[in-house]
């Protein structure tokens, strides 16, 4: 097992156990046999994770060269999910882009969700957002897409508060 608290962490070798990291910048370019748990500003994964990946970060990128053998749990501002072979994913993010493969379901709580033509999702996609997802028609999705408007969206939709918010944006543009 590896436990690290540092400014910048790069794992480019093999870890035959778990990795637990707190870092401003984390890059996993090597192979981790078990779980990765991290807290950081920037998290980049280009290597292999043999079990689960959990992180709390500002930005998270799982590039196409990366693999996660089991599940993803991510809380971040921006998430780019292009990895191959993860099973289930639970993601809370302001912006989520999916262009990789998920062998199970995706459950997301997002500001914006984009599923690109390179995405391959075997299970259902269930998400809560203030806006409908942008899903490329060429994306391979075997399950169903379930959209739940956010609680705030449901409370504001069609009320005087929505008109006030829209009106204030128009006034700002005119000034």
């Amino acid at each position: 097992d590896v436990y690290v608290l540092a400014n910048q962490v790069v794992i480019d070798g093999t870890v035959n156990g778990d990795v637990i990291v707190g870092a401003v910048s984390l890059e996993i370019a090597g192979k981790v046999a078990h779980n990765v748990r991290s807290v950081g500003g920037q998290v980049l994964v280009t290597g292999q994770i043999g079990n689960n990946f959990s992180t709390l970060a500002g930005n998270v990128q799982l590039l196409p060269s990366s693999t996660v053998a089991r599940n993803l749990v991510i809380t971040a501002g921006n998430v780019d999910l292009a990895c191959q072979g993860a099973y289930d994913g639970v993601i809370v993010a302001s912006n989520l882009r999916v262009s990789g493969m998920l062998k199970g379901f995706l459950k997301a709580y997002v500001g914006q969700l984009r599923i690109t033509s390179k995405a391959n999702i075997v299970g259902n996609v269930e998400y809560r957002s203030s806006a409908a997802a942008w899903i490329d028609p060429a994306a391979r999705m075997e399950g169903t897409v379930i959209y739940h408007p956010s609680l705030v969206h449901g409370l504001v939709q069609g009320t005087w508060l929505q008109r006030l918010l829209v009106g204030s944006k128009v006034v700002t543009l005119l000034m």
Side-chain angles (χ1 to χ4, degrees):
D1 292 346
V2 174
Y3 304 94
V4 181
L5 179 61
N7 187 37
Q8 183 174 2
V9 176
V10 177
I11 297 174
D12 60 358
T14 299
V15 176
N16 291 318
D18 293 335
V19 171
I20 299 175
V21 177
V24 173
S25 175
L26 168 63
E27 179 180 352
I28 298 175
K31 181 179 179 181
V32 177
H34 295 284
N35 302 307
V36 173
R37 313 277 190 227
S38 68
V39 175
Q42 303 287 334
V43 176
L44 174 65
V45 181
T46 59
Q48 301 172 358
I49 298 173
N51 207 1
N52 300 308
F53 175 62
S54 302
T55 190
L56 170 64
N59 294 302
V60 176
Q61 290 181 287
L62 288 100
L63 297 185
S65 61
S66 67
T67 58
V68 177
R70 296 292 302 156
N71 303 317
L72 303 165
V73 177
I74 300 171
T75 301
N78 299 299
V79 178
D80 187 0
L81 184 60
C83 67
Q84 302 300 309
Y87 278 86
D88 300 328
V90 177
I91 299 173
V92 178
S94 181
N95 298 296
L96 170 59
R97 183 176 74 162
V98 181
S99 58
M101 179 180 188
L102 283 174
K103 296 177 184 175
F105 70 83
L106 171 63
K107 187 173 232 180
Y109 304 89
V110 296
Q112 292 185 321
L113 171 61
R114 180 176 181 211
I115 300 176
T116 72
S117 61
K118 295 180 181 179
N120 183 2
I121 303 171
V122 175
N124 293 339
V125 174
E126 184 173 359
Y127 70 101
R128 185 170 296 277
S129 177
S130 59
W134 184 86
I135 302 173
D136 191 297
R140 290 182 302 231
M141 300 177 64
E142 295 179 25
T144 59
V145 176
I146 304 162
Y147 167 55
H148 303 284
S150 69
L151 178 62
V152 173
H153 183 265
L155 291 174
V156 172
Q157 183 72 24
T159 66
W160 64 270
L161 188 55
Q162 180 185 18
R163 291 188 296 275
L164 176 68
L165 292 172
V166 171
S168 66
K169 289 180 182 177
V170 170
V171 169
T172 301
L173 287 173
L174 294 175
M175 294 179 99

